[in-house]
Amino acid sequence: MSEQVSVNVPCHSPSRRSVLQSSAALLSAPFVAKATAAFGQEKLAGTGEVVVFSYGGSFTQNLRKYVSEPFTKATGIRVVDVTADFAEPQIKAMSAAKRIDWDIACVSPFWGYAEMQQAGTYMPINYSLWDSEALNGVPESARLKDAVVAFQSATLLVYDERAFPKGGPKDWADFWNIKEFRGPRGLYGGGGSTVMLFALMADGVAHKDLWPLTDDKIDRAFKKLDEIKPHITKWPVAGGEPIQLLINREFALTSAPDGRAVAAIKQGAPIRMAWDGAAVQETYWTILKGGANSANAQKFIAFVNRAEIAAAFTQGTGFPSPNVNQLKYLSADLLPLISISPDNAAKAVGLDRAWLTTKLANGKTNADHVQERWLAWQAK
């Protein structure tokens, strides 16, 4: 295993890399999947290498230990790590230079994925290499023609259990209930769309009716946000800030990234997660067209989605990969804390990628429109 390059890229806020690393550093997989030639199966055996992007730090260390090293042992294919805060700027630069140095990249469906897809950046995924347990366990919605969900992340309600000894808030209506659930509050300051969802759910909108975020729904959300704004003591944008403020008792309840919350809980922090109304988003694995090791990249993608390996990825990184068949391999203490657990999945809300990335007549996307309105409201 070798590290090819480490690149610092201008970050969005909060830094995806910092969020990922913070949780990965505090979780460890209960096993390393049995990596034998039989487990690799003849159709995944190979030679040479595959260059795989990840976010560096403990995230990459755990990906290497629990996925890449078993992959090499099972298939004979060496994994070369490349790291950066974000893959998308590097992919665009490589494409412009007509020199693709990576084989596999993690990309956000909201940050240029559609644009790069239209430009022919990604190869189709070869699902014929997948075993039946992977095909059955990974939902069809997570298996795109040219991408596969790598992991999910969520923003959800997290609270200090010390502030609510008789029972904490269960949903966003409780977050808005300042009489029964007293205390200083926080909401994520950077992302308008998710906060719109939280406000609408607090106002009684059913999960199934949240999308699309039409202007009348946005108006309704801002009216609800006007109610809670005087009780928000801070609008954090850094991924670790809301959890630290909970631990310091500067917040009693707040929105926060699930990975940060899981990491703190595993360390013994007195906080709890409320999954009702959690906003879940996904990050994709993609295979870059023009990479030198595309055949090996297909084998890596097939391998990482096997149930036992998916469980090792989830436990090692703290972010769940999509194969639900992995649940039987995960530690009992982690199951209630992740988005793919059935109880949590039933309560969560997905982001509507198609609507958010749709362009308006002015060339901006719906996501841009929502964000502009959000920033204007914050500035009042």
Side-chain angles (χ1 to χ4, degrees):
M1 190 75 53
S2 63
E3 178 111 355
Q4 188 184 61
V5 63
S6 180
V7 183
N8 290 318
V9 183
C11 303
H12 302 258
S13 293
S15 165
R16 196 189 318 170
R17 184 182 194 180
S18 67
V19 171
L20 292 166
Q21 288 186 29
S22 67
S23 58
L26 299 174
L27 296 172
S28 60
F31 60 87
V32 175
K34 296 175 183 177
T36 65
F39 187 77
Q41 292 187 4
E42 186 176 336
K43 64 183 177 181
L44 296 189
T47 59
E49 65 184 28
V50 59
V51 181
V52 180
F53 165 89
S54 59
Y55 298 101
S58 53
F59 184 92
T60 296
Q61 292 167 15
N62 284 317
L63 180 69
R64 180 184 301 136
K65 181 175 181 179
Y66 297 115
V67 177
S68 299
E69 290 177 358
F71 173 75
T72 298
K73 186 174 181 180
T75 67
I77 300 167
R78 185 172 65 100
V79 177
V80 177
D81 301 313
V82 294
T83 64
D85 281 351
F86 299 97
E88 294 86 352
Q90 305 303 311
I91 297 171
K92 290 181 179 180
M94 286 188 286
S95 297
K98 296 185 173 15
R99 177 181 170 179
I100 307 300
D101 297 323
W102 303 353
D103 299 306
I104 296 174
C106 292
V107 301
S108 166
F110 301 104
W111 296 339
Y113 166 75
E115 175 188 343
M116 289 190 287
Q117 181 188 49
Q118 292 171 3
T121 303
Y122 309 120
M123 291 189 65
I125 302 298
N126 182 2
Y127 291 106
S128 70
L129 294 174
W130 289 37
D131 64 17
S132 59
E133 190 175 42
L135 289 170
N136 291 334
V138 178
E140 286 189 24
S141 60
R143 291 187 273 118
L144 286 67
K145 179 180 179 181
D146 58 3
V148 182
V149 171
F151 59 86
Q152 293 182 346
S153 56
T155 303
L156 74 168
L157 198 168
V158 184
Y159 64 90
D160 178 359
E161 65 178 347
R162 297 168 297 183
F164 306 106
K166 296 182 180 180
K170 304 298 183 185
D171 56 27
W172 293 107
D174 287 346
F175 184 92
W176 257 257
N177 186 343
I178 59 173
K179 292 183 179 180
E180 293 188 34
F181 300 98
R182 298 177 180 274
R185 287 155 159 76
L187 276 175
Y188 176 51
S193 297
T194 53
V195 178
M196 297 294 106
L197 299 178
F198 300 156
L200 289 169
M201 286 184 279
D203 204 39
V205 177
H207 293 187
K208 64 181 179 62
D209 297 325
L210 290 168
W211 298 101
L213 286 178
T214 52
D215 278 331
D216 61 323
K217 289 182 187 173
I218 296 173
D219 291 341
R220 180 174 175 177
F222 281 132
K223 186 176 180 181
K224 193 68 177 177
L225 282 162
D226 286 337
E227 296 176 12
I228 202 66
K229 192 174 187 179
H231 306 280
I232 303 298
T233 58
K234 194 165 187 179
W235 302 84
V237 293
E241 193 174 9
I243 297 300
Q244 191 59 52
L245 291 170
L246 281 174
I247 293 171
N248 294 347
R249 306 191 106 165
E250 295 177 60
F251 282 164
L253 59 171
T254 183
S255 63
D258 60 339
R260 295 279 190 170
V262 170
I265 290 169
K266 298 284 280 187
Q267 269 197 323
I271 62 173
R272 292 291 179 265
M273 308 161 76
W275 277 95
D276 196 336
V280 175
Q281 59 182 314
E282 300 165 334
T283 296
Y284 295 161
W285 290 117
T286 60
I287 298 175
L288 304 183
K289 190 177 292 183
N293 309 289
S294 298
N296 287 343
Q298 296 284 1
K299 293 173 182 178
F300 183 91
I301 297 295
F303 186 82
V304 75
N305 281 285
R306 291 180 170 179
E308 191 173 351
I309 299 299
F313 175 95
T314 296
Q315 189 94 23
T317 66
F319 288 83
S321 56
N323 189 338
V324 296
N325 287 329
Q326 71 177 285
L327 295 175
K328 59 188 174 185
Y329 298 109
L330 291 173
S331 60
D333 63 331
L334 184 59
L335 285 172
L337 306 178
I338 59 174
S339 60
I340 64 167
S341 293
D343 289 347
N344 295 341
K347 298 174 185 175
V349 176
L351 301 186
D352 190 335
R353 179 181 67 84
W355 184 83
L356 286 167
T357 57
T358 296
K359 287 193 175 182
L360 305 172
N362 61 7
K364 297 181 179 180
T365 65
N366 281 317
D368 295 331
H369 175 66
V370 174
Q371 191 69 4
E372 286 175 358
R373 293 202 58 186
W374 165 247
L375 294 174
W377 177 84
Q378 274 194 307
K380 289 181 180 178

